[in-house]
Amino acid sequence: MSGNTINADEHKRKMQEQQRQVRAKIADAKTRRGVIIYLYGNGKGKSSSAFGTLARSVGHGKKGAVVQFIKGKWKTGEQAIFRQLGVKHLVMGTGFTWDTQDREKDIAAAGAVWNKAAPLFKDPAYDIIILDEITYMFKYGYLSAAEVSEVLLARPEKQNVIVTGRDPIPELLEIADTISEVKEIRHAFHHGVKAQKGIEF
Amino acid sequence: MSGNTINADEHKRKMQEQQRQVRAKIADAKTRRGVIIYLYGNGKGKSSSAFGTLARSVGHGKKGAVVQFIKGKWKTGEQAIFRQLGVKHLVMGTGFTWDTQDREKDIAAAGAVWNKAAPLFKDPAYDIIILDEITYMFKYGYLSAAEVSEVLLARPEKQNVIVTGRDPIPELLEIADTISEVKEIRHAFHHGVKAQKGIEF
């Protein structure tokens, strides 16, 4: 199980150099402030990632909130966990836009949930807030990306925000501190595997 | 906040078409079985994604396990949450390889945690198992990707596995049902922002 292709001394030297680089970067990173993390792309794992970070924060005793766009009507495993962990949960009540097929109703629902979410970004009690799948709102013109970005930038200094959604929105790319693109390389769904409880929802 | 650039009828027609496509795909997806999800790449969010899916599964009453390579010595917010949620947790006790700088010790530690993990892939009681940051083990030759892949393929039919790590490992790309690449577009760490409790660890 080992494979002695790498010489032990060479390995040690390389690891020492890597350790030095990592330590130098840690020493350079001195600013203590909340960050905006933006996860976009067509791959699976963006919302899960946000929820995993939330769970980790709550594990450290932090206070969190989740604002879910689009997936509002789904009865998800997340909801059970959010309740159990004392996380505030706001949802847009109308489900997928291709289920409602009513633009005016979607716009009203998006505005309503955003109006409830906005005050959280003025409340320093919240350490971490997730805006899940909000990029659809910008793409369809239901919410203004400029207006939301302005609210995020004016938030309390230590507050962290995670924004997820399929699309790279210019206003979010501009203001985010950490950005990952999640690209679909393969998806079981396209190969006839049924969506499962706990994995997909 | 609305922006009436899209005609309401046009919108409805497009959404109906999208709904039809989604429904057709759901109807086609008939196989009920566990999947292997593989998240690789240099971007932030891979482990968080795995833990988020785990939290969701546990929220549905599923039984989970986490096997952590590399990050063993870190005292993480995840650990607190895993305990609280009754998730089995195995760790490789030696921390980052650039901290140990001892190849033989790393190989022994990797083998030890894998020997404890392997029986989980024969136990149908586990609905979801995460192999977190295991790709480093393959990259450095501490574990054999072929051997691990064989064990994963022989697992109970309904069991789900999530594998995370920086590198695209050919053996894993071959066997995974769902694959996402998480690409770093920007990282706050490189801009002098200190790693924070709950966000980075």
Side-chain angles (χ1 to χ4, degrees):
Chain A
M1 216 58 184
S2 68
N4 284 306
T5 43
I6 304 168
N7 175 281
D9 286 343
E10 167 71 358
H11 175 80
K12 187 167 179 171
R13 199 195 50 71
K14 274 170 71 175
M15 290 299 114
Q16 279 174 337
E17 173 54 22
Q18 206 160 349
Q19 185 187 48
R20 195 195 58 72
Q21 284 176 16
V22 169
R23 285 190 179 159
K25 267 197 186 164
I26 291 170
D28 282 348
K30 290 202 173 87
T31 316
R32 279 190 192 276
R33 61 168 176 85
V35 289
I36 298 174
I37 299 171
Y38 181 24
L39 300 162
Y40 72 88
N42 66 348
K44 182 177 161 51
K46 301 180 296 293
S47 298
S48 300
S49 182
F51 299 138
T53 303
L54 176 74
R56 187 193 285 140
S57 295
V58 171
H60 279 302
K62 307 282 183 183
K63 189 175 169 68
V66 174
V67 189
Q68 280 190 294
F69 296 85
I70 299 287
K71 282 183 186 162
K73 282 204 319 195
W74 289 31
K75 194 176 170 295
T76 63
E78 284 121 39
Q79 280 176 309
I81 283 291
F82 296 155
R83 249 196 312 276
Q84 197 178 325
L85 299 175
V87 168
K88 189 179 180 74
H89 190 205
L90 299 174
V91 291
M92 184 170 142
T94 52
F96 278 102
T97 50
W98 51 83
D99 283 329
T100 64
Q101 296 162 15
D102 182 335
R103 186 169 153 76
E104 289 310 314
K105 213 170 125 189
D106 283 350
I107 290 172
V113 71
W114 174 248
N115 287 340
K116 274 192 257 178
L120 303 177
F121 298 102
K122 297 192 175 0
D123 184 351
Y126 286 94
D127 301 295
I128 178 166
I129 303 169
I130 295 173
L131 294 175
D132 187 39
E133 305 274 15
I134 196 173
T135 65
Y136 285 101
M137 303 300 107
F138 304 137
K139 188 184 171 197
Y140 292 134
Y142 296 174
L143 293 176
S144 149
E147 207 171 313
V148 169
S149 299
E150 212 171 291
V151 170
L152 298 192
L153 281 176
R155 75 195 189 284
E157 199 194 343
K158 300 278 173 69
Q159 193 178 72
N160 296 287
V161 182
I162 308 181
V163 183
T164 79
R166 195 176 177 101
D167 302 293
I169 303 292
E171 288 86 345
L172 293 177
L173 292 171
E174 175 73 28
I175 66 165
D177 300 286
T178 294
I179 306 172
S180 290
E181 181 190 358
V182 181
K183 281 179 66 174
E184 177 175 299
I185 306 294
R186 188 184 297 155
H187 198 302
F189 187 59
H190 303 309
H191 299 277
V193 179
K194 221 174 155 65
Q196 298 173 78
K197 248 194 192 179
I199 301 296
E200 317 290 346
F201 59 94
Chain B
M1 214 61 184
S2 67
N4 283 306
T5 43
I6 303 166
N7 175 281
D9 286 343
E10 168 71 359
H11 175 80
K12 185 166 179 172
R13 199 195 52 71
K14 274 170 72 175
M15 291 298 116
Q16 279 175 336
E17 174 54 23
Q18 207 160 350
Q19 184 187 51
R20 195 195 58 73
Q21 285 177 14
V22 169
R23 285 188 179 161
K25 267 198 186 163
I26 291 170
D28 282 349
K30 291 203 173 83
T31 317
R32 277 189 195 277
R33 61 168 175 86
V35 289
I36 297 174
I37 299 171
Y38 181 24
L39 300 162
Y40 73 88
N42 66 348
K44 183 178 162 50
K46 301 181 295 291
S47 298
S48 300
S49 182
F51 299 138
T53 303
L54 176 73
R56 188 193 285 141
S57 294
V58 171
H60 278 301
K62 306 283 183 183
K63 189 176 168 69
V66 174
V67 189
Q68 280 190 294
F69 296 84
I70 299 286
K71 283 185 187 158
K73 282 203 318 194
W74 289 29
K75 194 175 171 295
T76 63
E78 283 121 39
Q79 280 176 309
I81 283 290
F82 296 155
R83 250 197 312 276
Q84 197 178 324
L85 299 176
V87 169
K88 188 179 181 73
H89 189 204
L90 298 174
V91 290
M92 184 170 143
T94 52
F96 278 102
T97 51
W98 52 82
D99 284 330
T100 64
Q101 297 164 14
D102 182 335
R103 186 169 154 75
E104 289 311 313
K105 213 170 126 190
D106 283 350
I107 290 172
V113 70
W114 173 248
N115 287 340
K116 274 192 257 178
L120 302 177
F121 298 102
K122 297 192 174 1
D123 184 350
Y126 285 94
D127 301 296
I128 177 166
I129 302 169
I130 295 173
L131 295 175
D132 187 38
E133 304 273 16
I134 196 172
T135 65
Y136 286 101
M137 303 299 108
F138 304 137
K139 189 185 170 196
Y140 291 133
Y142 296 174
L143 293 175
S144 149
E147 207 170 312
V148 169
S149 299
E150 214 171 288
V151 171
L152 298 191
L153 282 176
R155 76 194 189 285
E157 200 194 342
K158 301 276 173 70
Q159 193 177 72
N160 296 288
V161 183
I162 308 181
V163 183
T164 79
R166 193 174 177 103
D167 301 292
I169 303 291
E171 289 86 344
L172 293 177
L173 292 171
E174 176 73 30
I175 67 167
D177 300 286
T178 294
I179 306 172
S180 290
E181 181 189 358
V182 181
K183 282 178 67 173
E184 176 176 298
I185 306 295
R186 187 184 298 156
H187 198 301
F189 187 58
H190 302 310
H191 299 278
V193 178
K194 222 174 153 65
Q196 297 173 79
K197 248 193 189 178
I199 300 297
E200 318 289 345
F201 58 94

